[in-house]
Amino acid sequence: DTAVSQTPKYLVTQMGNDKSIKCEQNLGHDTMYWYKQDSKKFLKIMFSYNNKELIINETVPNRFSPKSPDKAHLNLHINSLELGDSAVYFCASSQAQPEITGGYTFGSGTRLTVV
Amino acid sequence: QKEVEQNSGPLSVPEGAIASLNCTYSDRGSQSFFWYRQYSGKSPELIMSIYSNGDKEDGRFTAQLNKASQYVSLLIRDSQPSDSATYLCAVKGDSNYQLIWGAGTKLIIKP
């Protein structure tokens, strides 16, 4: 069974479109995250939810909106897509605080290409 | 701004040799340190965590932490071609739940 699953795996779309990425974890973890990894492999946190509550909201354009209907799900909606949004987006989860429990479990990633 | 720095590489090591990956961090108060491995086109996976000064061994992997010098390293003994990947160093950030990431070192093990 996949621990952290996100869909779709690939997403190619035109500028200006709105798209969503879904994430689900079956690990029973309390905290979920969205990360963006650019072409240089640099991982940058975007958002984090703990038990459906937003706890990390980094400097991200407000075109990006996370939504957590329950602690097992964290979705990412992106409005008015731009070329610079092209990247790999990773969902991750952790039990309580990752610095204590030993880090994150990542999903397989969504490669977003905006054309 | 807290930072984690790694040499981007690529670091080329012959098969069977020891691969040494280094990471420095700017926050002297950091307490938790992690090494992730990321194969091309795949997601990062946790391979080691270390919290205390000294060495921590897990199979062919050894993490080394020196808080006074603010560096953490990862040694891979008896390197295999399957170890070829990008290795990401991550350090606890200011806030709970958050890790600060290095840009990763690409490791190539040559048969």
Side-chain angles (χ1 to χ4, degrees), chain A residues 3 6 9 12 14 16-17 24-25 57 62 67 73 75 79 83 89-90 95 100 109 111 113-114:
Chain A
Q6 54 181 109
K9 190 169 176 64
V12 181
Q14 291 187 327
N17 283 351
E24 175 182 2
Q25 54 97 3
N57 185 1
N62 58 15
K67 196 166 191 177
H73 295 84
N75 304 322
N79 289 325
L83 292 176
Y89 292 84
F90 285 105
Q95 182 64 284
I100 296 173
R111 183 173 294 276
T113 304
V114 182

Side-chain angles (χ1 to χ4, degrees), chain A residues 35 37 97 99 102 104 107, chain B residues 32 36 38 43 46 96-97 101:
Chain A
Y35 271 92
Q37 188 173 45
Q97 296 164 286
E99 65 274 18
Y104 304 125
Chain B
S32 307
Y36 284 77
Q38 186 174 23
S43 58
L46 179 67
N96 292 332
Y97 307 100
W101 296 82

Side-chain angles (χ1 to χ4, degrees), chain B residues 15-83:
Chain B
E15 184 176 357
I18 295 176
S20 178
L21 302 159
N22 298 314
C23 171
T24 60
Y25 57 94
S26 62
D27 182 6
R28 186 170 289 277
S30 294
Q31 297 293 322
S32 307
F33 308 85
F34 304 91
W35 282 100
Y36 284 77
R37 178 178 60 200
Q38 186 174 23
Y39 292 114
S40 180
K42 301 294 185 183
S43 58
E45 56 177 331
L46 179 67
I47 53 173
M48 291 285 288
S49 58
I50 188 166
Y51 306 96
S52 305
N53 273 331
D55 294 359
K56 179 182 178 182
E57 189 174 316
D58 183 1
R60 296 186 297 111
F61 297 94
T62 299
Q64 298 177 319
L65 175 60
N66 184 324
K67 291 185 179 179
S69 300
Q70 294 176 238
Y71 80 79
V72 56
S73 60
L74 179 70
L75 302 179
I76 307 174
R77 289 184 300 282
D78 188 24
S79 297
Q80 304 296 310
S82 60
D83 295 326

Side-chain angles (χ1 to χ4, degrees), chain A residues 5-38:
Chain A
S5 60
Q6 54 181 109
T7 55
K9 190 169 176 64
Y10 299 97
L11 187 54
V12 181
T13 188
Q14 291 187 327
M15 276 195 306
N17 283 351
D18 303 339
K19 290 293 178 185
S20 292
I21 308 172
K22 295 185 176 181
C23 180
E24 175 182 2
Q25 54 97 3
N26 62 5
L27 297 167
H29 286 171
D30 295 324
T31 310
M32 297 184 72
Y33 311 79
W34 278 112
Y35 271 92
K36 179 181 180 180
Q37 188 173 45
D38 60 26

Side-chain angles (χ1 to χ4, degrees), chain A residues 31-92:
Chain A
T31 310
M32 297 184 72
Y33 311 79
W34 278 112
Y35 271 92
K36 179 181 180 180
Q37 188 173 45
D38 60 26
S39 57
K40 294 184 178 179
K41 297 288 190 182
F42 191 71
L43 269 170
K44 183 177 179 181
I45 192 165
M46 301 173 70
F47 304 102
S48 177
Y49 274 75
N50 177 257
N51 280 320
K52 301 192 297 176
E53 181 184 346
L54 181 65
I55 55 172
I56 295 176
N57 185 1
E58 291 296 303
T59 306
V60 175
N62 58 15
R63 298 181 294 104
F64 292 80
S65 53
K67 196 166 191 177
S68 182
D70 55 61
K71 77 172 193 176
H73 295 84
L74 179 61
N75 304 322
L76 183 65
H77 187 77
I78 316 170
N79 289 325
S80 303
L81 278 155
E82 301 178 355
L83 292 176
D85 298 332
S86 296
V88 179
Y89 292 84
F90 285 105
C91 177

